[in-house]
Amino acid sequence: AKRHTMKELLGGINYTLRLPTLKLGLSAVTYIYDKHNGRKIADYNRYQIYDGLWGNIGLDFYGFWNRFRYFGEVSSDAHFAPALIAGVIWGPKYEFEMSLTCRYYDKSYIAAHSGAYSSLSSTSNQSGVTCSIKWIAANNLTINGNADCVRYPWSRFKISGASYSIKARLSADYEKQNNISE
């Protein structure tokens, strides 16, 4: 079962500086593979082939001011392909919160172990904006909504050329509470 499997050696470091209203971080990771990446090269994945020694470095921030929280990260891979995500959350009171997140991941950005927000299975080949709201309208009624607009500048699996995606969702969650105690 393990014949022809690729092995990986991984190492990383993170440094965080905490200030009263701001957190700054620096992260770096490197990984090496013992075999050549044998995937078949197609138009949609030609910028996602990597093997041997690879890595990423990123600078991140998180802070707050008044009723705003803001966050983001700028990153680069071993071939200097960029990635960026940034956002702001506004909560004027406990019952209402709204957020805006912008992202850009270069078509050749490779981060094998990333977990950033993405509409694809990888953090590459997209730029987008997401807006979300949460409103607790009553003790037992919560309204959630979001809209996500994404541009894919390069081909994707089974999609030739650039493409776009717009998704929106609105939901109302109602919980009926009973007064029975045990």
Side-chain angles (χ1 to χ4, degrees):
K2 294 192 177 206
R3 191 173 148 209
H4 302 298
T5 58
M6 184 183 287
K7 291 183 178 70
E8 175 185 48
L9 182 62
L10 174 74
I13 189 167
N14 175 268
Y15 178 77
T16 301
L17 174 65
R18 296 182 193 275
L19 302 169
T21 61
L22 180 66
K23 179 184 82 76
L24 300 171
L26 171 67
S27 298
V29 64
T30 186
Y31 30 101
I32 190 166
Y33 300 96
D34 68 338
K35 291 187 174 51
H36 178 71
N37 188 330
R39 284 194 300 181
K40 180 180 174 186
I41 298 175
D43 198 35
Y44 74 92
N45 73 356
R46 79 175 56 254
Y47 294 103
Q48 294 297 304
I49 303 296
Y50 60 95
D51 53 19
L53 183 63
W54 201 260
N56 303 89
I57 188 164
L59 297 167
D60 64 88
F61 65 90
Y62 172 80
F64 59 91
W65 174 76
N66 207 352
R67 301 204 183 275
F68 293 90
R69 291 173 280 157
Y70 50 91
F71 58 91
E73 181 177 5
V74 61
S75 180
S76 175
D77 69 8
H79 287 168
F80 304 106
L84 167 74
I85 187 165
V88 63
I89 302 168
W90 176 59
K93 56 185 180 174
Y94 174 78
E95 294 83 12
F96 183 79
E97 185 172 82
M98 189 161 100
S99 69
L100 179 70
T101 305
C102 301
R103 64 189 182 277
Y104 169 78
Y105 309 131
D106 191 81
K107 68 182 176 186
S108 57
Y109 180 74
I110 296 172
H113 300 283
S114 69
Y117 180 73
S118 175
S119 59
L120 299 175
S121 60
S122 69
T123 51
S124 65
N125 188 32
Q126 66 181 277
S127 56
V129 176
T130 303
C131 182
S132 301
I133 62 164
K134 179 178 181 180
W135 176 37
I136 301 172
N139 283 342
N140 51 2
L141 177 64
T142 303
I143 297 173
N144 294 293
N146 65 22
D148 189 23
C149 302
V150 186
R151 177 178 181 268
Y152 308 98
W154 190 252
S155 299
R156 297 184 290 148
F157 184 70
K158 296 191 177 186
I159 299 175
S160 298
S163 58
Y164 302 87
S165 169
I166 298 174
K167 299 176 190 173
R169 178 186 68 84
L170 182 64
S171 69
D173 300 319
Y174 177 78
E175 273 187 41
K176 184 175 180 186
Q177 299 176 354
N178 60 25
N179 294 327
I180 300 172
S181 65
E182 294 180 28

